[in-house]
Amino acid sequence: MELKRVVVTGLGVISPLGNDAASTWEAAKQGKSGAGPITHFDASLFKTQFACEVKNFKASDHFDRRKERQLDLYAQYALVAARQAVADAALDSESINKDRVGVIVAAGIGGLHTFEEEAGEYAVNAEKGPRYSPFFIPKMIADIASGHISMEYGFHGPNYGVVSACASSNNAIIDAFNLIRLGKADAIVTGGAEAAIYPAGVGGFNSMHALSTRNDSPETASRPFSKSRDGFVMGEGSAVLILEELEHAKARGAKIYAEVAGGGMSADAHHISATHPEGLGAILSMKNALEDAGMTTADIDYVNVHGTSTPVGDISEVKAIMKLFGEDAYRINISSTKSMTGHLLGATGAIEAFFSVKAIQDGIVPPTINHEEGDEDEEIDYKLNFTFNKAQERPVRAALSNAFGFGGHNATVILKQYKD
């Protein structure tokens, strides 16, 4: 069976850098940080008091009161990003076969804020018995964003969420890619969303010593591959891509940003939260993606790394790249856009796929910011081009994007220039 080609025809983003694709990309090219003091709740008693929050987002600007009551913040982000992507792709739901358009939007955690609110309500009313909102379960569950998007547009194709921690949205993109190239759908709305900057999210990660505690300088706290890195910075938001079968896209005159070349997955089978110290799972995930794409490391010009700014994780990913890429590791650009957006958890693969698409389209590699002179870790080879502090112009024929999650989940997506 001949596999169909899959292209990207639409982009939508709600992020700590901007509330649409254009402003997010412009801020990333300029190396801006999305970090600042937490405003979603009073974090004054927490070890970490800052995060990369979405700014100037009002639900009332996008939803009526009834709809707003049904949506956790993570689903609000997803639905608005999906609206942007569908509009960008000019995917007219009245002129396509909606039975062959699906939605696969991931979340690593889902409606954490809703869960916190409802748990608090039960505790307050414990003497009167349980009192839960009828919206509690359908607001909280991690698949509901896909459901809301499909209901808004009447898309009847494959519809579900994916949960694999911080690899979730890369897994969603790979699933969408596979369903389309196997002929199971003409187009799929895919990506991820997350909104976990609330007490349970920040407190939980603090207890694991996973978050940076650089409260005196939030903007410089996410510093992947720097010796002084002390943990990741939590981010939030959503990125949504429209993946479409090539001939379907051409038939309706869609613009094409890039082509999805391949996807790879693996498991570390090592630890509940730490990556394998030698990057064995990361190597296998990238290797599988290259084989799936029919490519070699010589075909890759840019790697958007998972690069969370944790002491162990950054080293293991660098080891994996060096072992797999060999001499090609010194030719490519590497960057961690988490230095600007923070770590969007289950949405991180989606926003980094967005950055990879834009790097291919514009020939610009976004930077890894916050690296200071002399701040070098002896376990990292700084002859590699980490694209420190400033974006770099170069042709990007293909970009490889990594996402790794708690539980040892690894997922790699490869995107490339579209050629007819």
mmCIF file of all heavy atoms in Angstrom, residues 5-11 85 89 91 100-104 169-181 185-191 240-246 248-249 252 257-261 353 357 413-415:
data_model
loop_
_atom_site.group_PDB
_atom_site.id
_atom_site.type_symbol
_atom_site.label_atom_id
_atom_site.label_comp_id
_atom_site.label_asym_id
_atom_site.label_seq_id
_atom_site.Cartn_x
_atom_site.Cartn_y
_atom_site.Cartn_z
ATOM 1 N N ARG A 5 1.040 11.379 1.323
ATOM 2 C CA ARG A 5 1.862 12.449 1.886
ATOM 3 C C ARG A 5 0.990 13.368 2.745
ATOM 4 O O ARG A 5 -0.181 13.600 2.449
ATOM 5 C CB ARG A 5 2.539 13.244 0.777
ATOM 6 C CG ARG A 5 3.569 12.431 0.014
ATOM 7 C CD ARG A 5 4.095 13.190 -1.193
ATOM 8 N NE ARG A 5 4.894 14.353 -0.819
ATOM 9 C CZ ARG A 5 5.406 15.215 -1.708
ATOM 10 N NH1 ARG A 5 5.184 15.048 -3.004
ATOM 11 N NH2 ARG A 5 6.126 16.246 -1.304
ATOM 12 N N VAL A 6 1.593 13.883 3.805
ATOM 13 C CA VAL A 6 0.856 14.696 4.774
ATOM 14 C C VAL A 6 1.554 16.054 4.926
ATOM 15 O O VAL A 6 2.778 16.113 5.115
ATOM 16 C CB VAL A 6 0.789 13.996 6.145
ATOM 17 C CG1 VAL A 6 -0.015 14.836 7.141
ATOM 18 C CG2 VAL A 6 0.166 12.604 6.000
ATOM 19 N N VAL A 7 0.776 17.122 4.838
ATOM 20 C CA VAL A 7 1.342 18.472 4.922
ATOM 21 C C VAL A 7 0.653 19.274 6.021
ATOM 22 O O VAL A 7 -0.427 18.925 6.492
ATOM 23 C CB VAL A 7 1.221 19.207 3.568
ATOM 24 C CG1 VAL A 7 2.113 18.548 2.525
ATOM 25 C CG2 VAL A 7 -0.235 19.253 3.084
ATOM 26 N N VAL A 8 1.299 20.367 6.407
ATOM 27 C CA VAL A 8 0.754 21.294 7.397
ATOM 28 C C VAL A 8 0.136 22.468 6.653
ATOM 29 O O VAL A 8 0.826 23.153 5.894
ATOM 30 C CB VAL A 8 1.854 21.797 8.357
ATOM 31 C CG1 VAL A 8 1.261 22.757 9.395
ATOM 32 C CG2 VAL A 8 2.550 20.628 9.046
ATOM 33 N N THR A 9 -1.155 22.702 6.883
ATOM 34 C CA THR A 9 -1.846 23.774 6.148
ATOM 35 C C THR A 9 -2.420 24.862 7.051
ATOM 36 O O THR A 9 -2.952 25.847 6.548
ATOM 37 C CB THR A 9 -2.973 23.194 5.278
ATOM 38 O OG1 THR A 9 -3.898 22.480 6.116
ATOM 39 C CG2 THR A 9 -2.424 22.266 4.216
ATOM 40 N N GLY A 10 -2.324 24.697 8.367
ATOM 41 C CA GLY A 10 -2.853 25.715 9.268
ATOM 42 C C GLY A 10 -2.142 25.706 10.603
ATOM 43 O O GLY A 10 -1.712 24.644 11.072
ATOM 44 N N LEU A 11 -2.032 26.890 11.230
ATOM 45 C CA LEU A 11 -1.337 27.036 12.505
ATOM 46 C C LEU A 11 -2.135 27.952 13.427
ATOM 47 O O LEU A 11 -2.644 28.987 12.997
ATOM 48 C CB LEU A 11 0.059 27.647 12.297
ATOM 49 C CG LEU A 11 1.034 26.890 11.384
ATOM 50 C CD1 LEU A 11 2.229 27.771 11.048
ATOM 51 C CD2 LEU A 11 1.497 25.595 12.043
ATOM 52 N N ALA A 85 -6.210 27.997 13.809
ATOM 53 C CA ALA A 85 -5.621 27.073 12.844
ATOM 54 C C ALA A 85 -6.590 26.749 11.717
ATOM 55 O O ALA A 85 -6.211 26.703 10.541
ATOM 56 C CB ALA A 85 -5.169 25.793 13.548
ATOM 57 N N ALA A 89 -6.014 27.740 7.814
ATOM 58 C CA ALA A 89 -6.027 26.732 6.754
ATOM 59 C C ALA A 89 -7.176 26.939 5.770
ATOM 60 O O ALA A 89 -7.243 26.237 4.754
ATOM 61 C CB ALA A 89 -6.126 25.338 7.362
ATOM 62 N N LEU A 91 -10.108 26.033 6.193
ATOM 63 C CA LEU A 91 -10.751 24.724 6.172
ATOM 64 C C LEU A 91 -12.252 24.923 6.355
ATOM 65 O O LEU A 91 -12.773 24.882 7.468
ATOM 66 C CB LEU A 91 -10.161 23.843 7.272
ATOM 67 C CG LEU A 91 -10.366 22.334 7.172
ATOM 68 C CD1 LEU A 91 -9.683 21.765 5.945
ATOM 69 C CD2 LEU A 91 -9.821 21.646 8.434
ATOM 70 N N ARG A 100 -14.522 12.917 7.289
ATOM 71 C CA ARG A 100 -13.123 12.538 7.098
ATOM 72 C C ARG A 100 -12.163 13.587 7.661
ATOM 73 O O ARG A 100 -10.996 13.664 7.279
ATOM 74 C CB ARG A 100 -12.843 12.286 5.616
ATOM 75 C CG ARG A 100 -13.533 11.010 5.102
ATOM 76 C CD ARG A 100 -13.130 10.684 3.683
ATOM 77 N NE ARG A 100 -11.682 10.539 3.528
ATOM 78 C CZ ARG A 100 -10.975 9.447 3.860
ATOM 79 N NH1 ARG A 100 -11.593 8.396 4.388
ATOM 80 N NH2 ARG A 100 -9.667 9.411 3.660
ATOM 81 N N VAL A 101 -12.675 14.398 8.580
ATOM 82 C CA VAL A 101 -11.828 15.362 9.292
ATOM 83 C C VAL A 101 -11.888 15.034 10.778
ATOM 84 O O VAL A 101 -12.978 14.973 11.365
ATOM 85 C CB VAL A 101 -12.268 16.814 9.045
ATOM 86 C CG1 VAL A 101 -11.358 17.780 9.808
ATOM 87 C CG2 VAL A 101 -12.245 17.147 7.558
ATOM 88 N N GLY A 102 -10.730 14.809 11.379
ATOM 89 C CA GLY A 102 -10.680 14.406 12.779
ATOM 90 C C GLY A 102 -10.051 15.448 13.675
ATOM 91 O O GLY A 102 -9.568 16.493 13.213
ATOM 92 N N VAL A 103 -10.044 15.175 14.965
ATOM 93 C CA VAL A 103 -9.428 16.048 15.971
ATOM 94 C C VAL A 103 -8.693 15.174 16.982
ATOM 95 O O VAL A 103 -9.306 14.301 17.605
ATOM 96 C CB VAL A 103 -10.467 16.916 16.707
ATOM 97 C CG1 VAL A 103 -9.755 17.886 17.655
ATOM 98 C CG2 VAL A 103 -11.358 17.679 15.737
ATOM 99 N N ILE A 104 -7.387 15.412 17.113
ATOM 100 C CA ILE A 104 -6.589 14.710 18.124
ATOM 101 C C ILE A 104 -5.732 15.762 18.832
ATOM 102 O O ILE A 104 -4.670 16.164 18.349
ATOM 103 C CB ILE A 104 -5.682 13.627 17.511
ATOM 104 C CG1 ILE A 104 -6.489 12.665 16.639
ATOM 105 C CG2 ILE A 104 -4.956 12.855 18.619
ATOM 106 C CD1 ILE A 104 -5.632 11.662 15.872
ATOM 107 N N SER A 169 1.668 15.783 23.038
ATOM 108 C CA SER A 169 1.264 16.372 21.761
ATOM 109 C C SER A 169 2.119 15.898 20.600
ATOM 110 O O SER A 169 1.652 15.881 19.451
ATOM 111 C CB SER A 169 1.207 17.902 21.831
ATOM 112 O OG SER A 169 2.350 18.459 22.381
ATOM 113 N N ASN A 170 3.349 15.476 20.847
ATOM 114 C CA ASN A 170 4.103 14.825 19.764
ATOM 115 C C ASN A 170 3.439 13.500 19.391
ATOM 116 O O ASN A 170 3.344 13.146 18.213
ATOM 117 C CB ASN A 170 5.561 14.590 20.170
ATOM 118 C CG ASN A 170 6.486 15.661 19.621
ATOM 119 O OD1 ASN A 170 6.034 16.709 19.160
ATOM 120 N ND2 ASN A 170 7.781 15.419 19.670
ATOM 121 N N ASN A 171 2.973 12.762 20.389
ATOM 122 C CA ASN A 171 2.241 11.528 20.095
ATOM 123 C C ASN A 171 0.958 11.815 19.324
ATOM 124 O O ASN A 171 0.572 11.058 18.418
ATOM 125 C CB ASN A 171 1.919 10.769 21.386
ATOM 126 C CG ASN A 171 3.100 9.974 21.911
ATOM 127 O OD1 ASN A 171 3.498 10.112 23.061
ATOM 128 N ND2 ASN A 171 3.663 9.127 21.070
ATOM 129 N N ALA A 172 0.278 12.915 19.678
ATOM 130 C CA ALA A 172 -0.950 13.292 18.966
ATOM 131 C C ALA A 172 -0.644 13.604 17.505
ATOM 132 O O ALA A 172 -1.381 13.179 16.600
ATOM 133 C CB ALA A 172 -1.597 14.505 19.638
ATOM 134 N N ILE A 173 0.429 14.337 17.258
ATOM 135 C CA ILE A 173 0.818 14.685 15.884
ATOM 136 C C ILE A 173 1.170 13.427 15.093
ATOM 137 O O ILE A 173 0.785 13.276 13.929
ATOM 138 C CB ILE A 173 1.992 15.688 15.902
ATOM 139 C CG1 ILE A 173 1.522 17.039 16.453
ATOM 140 C CG2 ILE A 173 2.584 15.857 14.507
ATOM 141 C CD1 ILE A 173 2.652 18.006 16.777
ATOM 142 N N ILE A 174 1.897 12.516 15.733
ATOM 143 C CA ILE A 174 2.270 11.273 15.055
ATOM 144 C C ILE A 174 1.026 10.444 14.730
ATOM 145 O O ILE A 174 0.906 9.884 13.632
ATOM 146 C CB ILE A 174 3.266 10.470 15.915
ATOM 147 C CG1 ILE A 174 4.608 11.205 15.994
ATOM 148 C CG2 ILE A 174 3.478 9.063 15.344
ATOM 149 C CD1 ILE A 174 5.573 10.635 17.021
ATOM 150 N N ASP A 175 0.086 10.365 15.669
ATOM 151 C CA ASP A 175 -1.161 9.634 15.407
ATOM 152 C C ASP A 175 -1.915 10.250 14.231
ATOM 153 O O ASP A 175 -2.412 9.538 13.347
ATOM 154 C CB ASP A 175 -2.056 9.648 16.650
ATOM 155 C CG ASP A 175 -1.660 8.595 17.674
ATOM 156 O OD1 ASP A 175 -0.602 7.954 17.496
ATOM 157 O OD2 ASP A 175 -2.403 8.421 18.656
ATOM 158 N N ALA A 176 -2.016 11.578 14.224
ATOM 159 C CA ALA A 176 -2.720 12.258 13.136
ATOM 160 C C ALA A 176 -2.037 11.996 11.800
ATOM 161 O O ALA A 176 -2.693 11.706 10.790
ATOM 162 C CB ALA A 176 -2.780 13.755 13.427
ATOM 163 N N PHE A 177 -0.731 12.081 11.805
ATOM 164 C CA PHE A 177 0.079 11.820 10.610
ATOM 165 C C PHE A 177 -0.172 10.408 10.077
ATOM 166 O O PHE A 177 -0.426 10.200 8.878
ATOM 167 C CB PHE A 177 1.550 12.019 10.987
ATOM 168 C CG PHE A 177 2.566 11.537 9.990
ATOM 169 C CD1 PHE A 177 2.580 12.017 8.695
ATOM 170 C CD2 PHE A 177 3.531 10.617 10.376
ATOM 171 C CE1 PHE A 177 3.544 11.581 7.783
ATOM 172 C CE2 PHE A 177 4.493 10.183 9.483
ATOM 173 C CZ PHE A 177 4.500 10.659 8.174
ATOM 174 N N ASN A 178 -0.156 9.431 10.972
ATOM 175 C CA ASN A 178 -0.341 8.044 10.545
ATOM 176 C C ASN A 178 -1.751 7.783 10.012
ATOM 177 O O ASN A 178 -1.926 7.083 9.017
ATOM 178 C CB ASN A 178 -0.031 7.096 11.705
ATOM 179 C CG ASN A 178 1.462 6.928 11.936
ATOM 180 O OD1 ASN A 178 2.250 7.027 11.006
ATOM 181 N ND2 ASN A 178 1.853 6.690 13.177
ATOM 182 N N LEU A 179 -2.758 8.342 10.665
ATOM 183 C CA LEU A 179 -4.127 8.125 10.205
ATOM 184 C C LEU A 179 -4.347 8.714 8.810
ATOM 185 O O LEU A 179 -5.019 8.114 7.972
ATOM 186 C CB LEU A 179 -5.116 8.735 11.198
ATOM 187 C CG LEU A 179 -5.297 7.971 12.507
ATOM 188 C CD1 LEU A 179 -6.073 8.813 13.515
ATOM 189 C CD2 LEU A 179 -6.010 6.644 12.270
ATOM 190 N N ILE A 180 -3.762 9.875 8.564
ATOM 191 C CA ILE A 180 -3.929 10.503 7.254
ATOM 192 C C ILE A 180 -3.167 9.744 6.179
ATOM 193 O O ILE A 180 -3.700 9.462 5.097
ATOM 194 C CB ILE A 180 -3.494 11.986 7.294
ATOM 195 C CG1 ILE A 180 -4.405 12.786 8.224
ATOM 196 C CG2 ILE A 180 -3.513 12.591 5.884
ATOM 197 C CD1 ILE A 180 -3.915 14.191 8.518
ATOM 198 N N ARG A 181 -1.924 9.368 6.458
ATOM 199 C CA ARG A 181 -1.157 8.705 5.400
ATOM 200 C C ARG A 181 -1.652 7.282 5.123
ATOM 201 O O ARG A 181 -1.397 6.726 4.064
ATOM 202 C CB ARG A 181 0.338 8.722 5.709
ATOM 203 C CG ARG A 181 0.814 7.906 6.880
ATOM 204 C CD ARG A 181 2.338 7.955 6.929
ATOM 205 N NE ARG A 181 2.886 7.316 8.100
ATOM 206 C CZ ARG A 181 4.184 7.058 8.264
ATOM 207 N NH1 ARG A 181 5.049 7.388 7.322
ATOM 208 N NH2 ARG A 181 4.619 6.485 9.357
ATOM 209 N N ALA A 185 -8.272 9.433 7.086
ATOM 210 C CA ALA A 185 -8.825 10.781 7.217
ATOM 211 C C ALA A 185 -8.192 11.670 6.159
ATOM 212 O O ALA A 185 -7.077 11.399 5.683
ATOM 213 C CB ALA A 185 -8.564 11.343 8.614
ATOM 214 N N ASP A 186 -8.907 12.737 5.795
ATOM 215 C CA ASP A 186 -8.370 13.721 4.850
ATOM 216 C C ASP A 186 -7.584 14.805 5.576
ATOM 217 O O ASP A 186 -6.620 15.357 5.039
ATOM 218 C CB ASP A 186 -9.500 14.381 4.057
ATOM 219 C CG ASP A 186 -10.211 13.409 3.140
ATOM 220 O OD1 ASP A 186 -9.565 12.449 2.677
ATOM 221 O OD2 ASP A 186 -11.419 13.605 2.894
ATOM 222 N N ALA A 187 -8.019 15.148 6.776
ATOM 223 C CA ALA A 187 -7.361 16.196 7.557
ATOM 224 C C ALA A 187 -7.639 15.946 9.028
ATOM 225 O O ALA A 187 -8.687 15.395 9.390
ATOM 226 C CB ALA A 187 -7.860 17.577 7.157
ATOM 227 N N ILE A 188 -6.696 16.367 9.878
ATOM 228 C CA ILE A 188 -6.872 16.242 11.328
ATOM 229 C C ILE A 188 -6.359 17.495 12.015
ATOM 230 O O ILE A 188 -5.265 17.984 11.716
ATOM 231 C CB ILE A 188 -6.161 14.989 11.881
ATOM 232 C CG1 ILE A 188 -6.814 13.716 11.319
ATOM 233 C CG2 ILE A 188 -6.207 14.968 13.405
ATOM 234 C CD1 ILE A 188 -6.241 12.413 11.837
ATOM 235 N N VAL A 189 -7.181 18.018 12.909
ATOM 236 C CA VAL A 189 -6.795 19.124 13.777
ATOM 237 C C VAL A 189 -6.032 18.518 14.948
ATOM 238 O O VAL A 189 -6.582 17.709 15.698
ATOM 239 C CB VAL A 189 -8.044 19.879 14.284
ATOM 240 C CG1 VAL A 189 -7.640 21.066 15.154
ATOM 241 C CG2 VAL A 189 -8.923 20.323 13.118
ATOM 242 N N THR A 190 -4.767 18.881 15.104
ATOM 243 C CA THR A 190 -3.962 18.193 16.119
ATOM 244 C C THR A 190 -3.046 19.167 16.852
ATOM 245 O O THR A 190 -2.789 20.278 16.392
ATOM 246 C CB THR A 190 -3.147 17.057 15.483
ATOM 247 O OG1 THR A 190 -2.540 16.268 16.517
ATOM 248 C CG2 THR A 190 -2.048 17.592 14.568
ATOM 249 N N GLY A 191 -2.553 18.737 18.000
ATOM 250 C CA GLY A 191 -1.662 19.574 18.802
ATOM 251 C C GLY A 191 -1.840 19.261 20.270
ATOM 252 O O GLY A 191 -2.100 18.117 20.659
ATOM 253 N N VAL A 240 -1.928 24.404 17.835
ATOM 254 C CA VAL A 240 -2.716 23.494 17.013
ATOM 255 C C VAL A 240 -2.260 23.593 15.571
ATOM 256 O O VAL A 240 -2.047 24.696 15.051
ATOM 257 C CB VAL A 240 -4.225 23.810 17.133
ATOM 258 C CG1 VAL A 240 -5.027 23.006 16.119
ATOM 259 C CG2 VAL A 240 -4.716 23.524 18.552
ATOM 260 N N LEU A 241 -2.077 22.437 14.949
ATOM 261 C CA LEU A 241 -1.691 22.365 13.544
ATOM 262 C C LEU A 241 -2.788 21.646 12.772
ATOM 263 O O LEU A 241 -3.400 20.700 13.286
ATOM 264 C CB LEU A 241 -0.375 21.606 13.361
ATOM 265 C CG LEU A 241 0.912 22.200 13.938
ATOM 266 C CD1 LEU A 241 0.996 21.959 15.444
ATOM 267 C CD2 LEU A 241 2.131 21.606 13.271
ATOM 268 N N ILE A 242 -3.025 22.071 11.549
ATOM 269 C CA ILE A 242 -3.901 21.327 10.648
ATOM 270 C C ILE A 242 -3.006 20.453 9.774
ATOM 271 O O ILE A 242 -2.189 20.964 9.006
ATOM 272 C CB ILE A 242 -4.743 22.256 9.753
ATOM 273 C CG1 ILE A 242 -5.527 23.267 10.594
ATOM 274 C CG2 ILE A 242 -5.679 21.424 8.870
ATOM 275 C CD1 ILE A 242 -6.503 22.670 11.577
ATOM 276 N N LEU A 243 -3.126 19.138 9.941
ATOM 277 C CA LEU A 243 -2.433 18.198 9.068
ATOM 278 C C LEU A 243 -3.419 17.734 8.012
ATOM 279 O O LEU A 243 -4.578 17.427 8.320
ATOM 280 C CB LEU A 243 -1.896 17.003 9.851
ATOM 281 C CG LEU A 243 -0.896 17.258 10.983
ATOM 282 C CD1 LEU A 243 -0.217 15.956 11.389
ATOM 283 C CD2 LEU A 243 0.126 18.306 10.634
ATOM 284 N N GLU A 244 -2.941 17.639 6.782
ATOM 285 C CA GLU A 244 -3.852 17.363 5.676
ATOM 286 C C GLU A 244 -3.174 16.493 4.626
ATOM 287 O O GLU A 244 -1.972 16.642 4.368
ATOM 288 C CB GLU A 244 -4.285 18.695 5.060
ATOM 289 C CG GLU A 244 -5.441 18.612 4.102
ATOM 290 C CD GLU A 244 -6.029 19.985 3.775
ATOM 291 O OE1 GLU A 244 -5.639 20.986 4.410
ATOM 292 O OE2 GLU A 244 -6.888 20.051 2.871
ATOM 293 N N GLU A 245 -3.937 15.601 4.048
ATOM 294 C CA GLU A 245 -3.429 14.789 2.948
ATOM 295 C C GLU A 245 -3.119 15.705 1.775
ATOM 296 O O GLU A 245 -3.882 16.616 1.454
ATOM 297 C CB GLU A 245 -4.477 13.750 2.563
ATOM 298 C CG GLU A 245 -3.962 12.654 1.639
ATOM 299 C CD GLU A 245 -4.093 13.045 0.186
ATOM 300 O OE1 GLU A 245 -5.117 13.648 -0.177
ATOM 301 O OE2 GLU A 245 -3.170 12.746 -0.602
ATOM 302 N N LEU A 246 -1.961 15.508 1.159
ATOM 303 C CA LEU A 246 -1.437 16.444 0.168
ATOM 304 C C LEU A 246 -2.417 16.721 -0.964
ATOM 305 O O LEU A 246 -2.682 17.884 -1.302
ATOM 306 C CB LEU A 246 -0.109 15.924 -0.388
ATOM 307 C CG LEU A 246 0.489 16.735 -1.543
ATOM 308 C CD1 LEU A 246 0.750 18.176 -1.135
ATOM 309 C CD2 LEU A 246 1.769 16.072 -2.061
ATOM 310 N N HIS A 248 -5.596 16.330 -1.129
ATOM 311 C CA HIS A 248 -6.779 17.022 -0.609
ATOM 312 C C HIS A 248 -6.478 18.506 -0.445
ATOM 313 O O HIS A 248 -7.303 19.369 -0.797
ATOM 314 C CB HIS A 248 -7.191 16.397 0.729
ATOM 315 C CG HIS A 248 -8.460 16.929 1.300
ATOM 316 N ND1 HIS A 248 -8.505 18.014 2.139
ATOM 317 C CD2 HIS A 248 -9.751 16.522 1.162
ATOM 318 C CE1 HIS A 248 -9.750 18.253 2.504
ATOM 319 N NE2 HIS A 248 -10.540 17.353 1.928
ATOM 320 N N ALA A 249 -5.301 18.822 0.082
ATOM 321 C CA ALA A 249 -4.901 20.214 0.269
ATOM 322 C C ALA A 249 -4.746 20.929 -1.073
ATOM 323 O O ALA A 249 -5.199 22.072 -1.248
ATOM 324 C CB ALA A 249 -3.597 20.283 1.060
ATOM 325 N N ARG A 252 -8.052 21.884 -2.928
ATOM 326 C CA ARG A 252 -8.806 23.042 -2.470
ATOM 327 C C ARG A 252 -7.956 24.312 -2.438
ATOM 328 O O ARG A 252 -8.377 25.348 -1.909
ATOM 329 C CB ARG A 252 -9.431 22.781 -1.093
ATOM 330 C CG ARG A 252 -8.459 22.552 0.033
ATOM 331 C CD ARG A 252 -9.160 22.260 1.347
ATOM 332 N NE ARG A 252 -8.216 22.326 2.466
ATOM 333 C CZ ARG A 252 -7.887 23.448 3.103
ATOM 334 N NH1 ARG A 252 -8.427 24.592 2.763
ATOM 335 N NH2 ARG A 252 -7.005 23.420 4.088
ATOM 336 N N TYR A 257 2.622 24.924 4.536
ATOM 337 C CA TYR A 257 3.758 25.421 5.310
ATOM 338 C C TYR A 257 4.956 24.478 5.240
ATOM 339 O O TYR A 257 6.099 24.909 5.133
ATOM 340 C CB TYR A 257 3.363 25.581 6.780
ATOM 341 C CG TYR A 257 2.487 26.762 7.079
ATOM 342 C CD1 TYR A 257 1.127 26.589 7.326
ATOM 343 C CD2 TYR A 257 2.999 28.047 7.141
ATOM 344 C CE1 TYR A 257 0.301 27.666 7.630
ATOM 345 C CE2 TYR A 257 2.191 29.142 7.443
ATOM 346 C CZ TYR A 257 0.844 28.944 7.679
ATOM 347 O OH TYR A 257 0.040 30.010 7.971
ATOM 348 N N ALA A 258 4.687 23.194 5.384
ATOM 349 C CA ALA A 258 5.754 22.193 5.465
ATOM 350 C C ALA A 258 5.120 20.819 5.298
ATOM 351 O O ALA A 258 3.896 20.680 5.271
ATOM 352 C CB ALA A 258 6.481 22.288 6.809
ATOM 353 N N GLU A 259 5.968 19.817 5.202
ATOM 354 C CA GLU A 259 5.502 18.438 5.090
ATOM 355 C C GLU A 259 5.920 17.665 6.341
ATOM 356 O O GLU A 259 7.025 17.874 6.870
ATOM 357 C CB GLU A 259 6.086 17.776 3.850
ATOM 358 C CG GLU A 259 5.592 16.352 3.620
ATOM 359 C CD GLU A 259 5.992 15.769 2.274
ATOM 360 O OE1 GLU A 259 6.608 16.509 1.470
ATOM 361 O OE2 GLU A 259 5.693 14.587 2.028
ATOM 362 N N VAL A 260 5.037 16.814 6.813
ATOM 363 C CA VAL A 260 5.396 15.919 7.917
ATOM 364 C C VAL A 260 6.129 14.732 7.310
ATOM 365 O O VAL A 260 5.589 14.022 6.466
ATOM 366 C CB VAL A 260 4.160 15.448 8.696
ATOM 367 C CG1 VAL A 260 4.592 14.623 9.912
ATOM 368 C CG2 VAL A 260 3.305 16.628 9.133
ATOM 369 N N ALA A 261 7.367 14.532 7.735
ATOM 370 C CA ALA A 261 8.207 13.502 7.118
ATOM 371 C C ALA A 261 8.135 12.177 7.856
ATOM 372 O O ALA A 261 8.173 11.103 7.242
ATOM 373 C CB ALA A 261 9.655 13.980 7.054
ATOM 374 N N ALA A 353 6.668 21.944 17.527
ATOM 375 C CA ALA A 353 6.422 21.622 16.121
ATOM 376 C C ALA A 353 6.106 22.897 15.349
ATOM 377 O O ALA A 353 6.548 23.078 14.199
ATOM 378 C CB ALA A 353 5.272 20.630 16.002
ATOM 379 N N VAL A 357 8.164 24.305 12.146
ATOM 380 C CA VAL A 357 7.551 24.670 10.869
ATOM 381 C C VAL A 357 7.984 26.069 10.444
ATOM 382 O O VAL A 357 8.350 26.311 9.285
ATOM 383 C CB VAL A 357 6.010 24.595 10.973
ATOM 384 C CG1 VAL A 357 5.342 25.266 9.767
ATOM 385 C CG2 VAL A 357 5.555 23.149 11.073
ATOM 386 N N VAL A 413 9.161 14.063 16.202
ATOM 387 C CA VAL A 413 8.495 14.425 14.952
ATOM 388 C C VAL A 413 9.517 15.061 14.019
ATOM 389 O O VAL A 413 10.332 15.886 14.451
ATOM 390 C CB VAL A 413 7.332 15.399 15.207
ATOM 391 C CG1 VAL A 413 6.763 15.940 13.894
ATOM 392 C CG2 VAL A 413 6.238 14.723 16.026
ATOM 393 N N ILE A 414 9.485 14.701 12.741
ATOM 394 C CA ILE A 414 10.336 15.325 11.737
ATOM 395 C C ILE A 414 9.462 16.037 10.712
ATOM 396 O O ILE A 414 8.529 15.441 10.150
ATOM 397 C CB ILE A 414 11.243 14.296 11.034
ATOM 398 C CG1 ILE A 414 12.190 13.640 12.049
ATOM 399 C CG2 ILE A 414 12.056 14.981 9.910
ATOM 400 C CD1 ILE A 414 13.086 12.559 11.440
ATOM 401 N N LEU A 415 9.758 17.293 10.493
ATOM 402 C CA LEU A 415 9.075 18.091 9.482
ATOM 403 C C LEU A 415 10.106 18.542 8.455
ATOM 404 O O LEU A 415 11.282 18.713 8.777
ATOM 405 C CB LEU A 415 8.413 19.312 10.114
ATOM 406 C CG LEU A 415 7.343 18.942 11.142
ATOM 407 C CD1 LEU A 415 7.631 19.633 12.475
ATOM 408 C CD2 LEU A 415 5.952 19.325 10.662
#
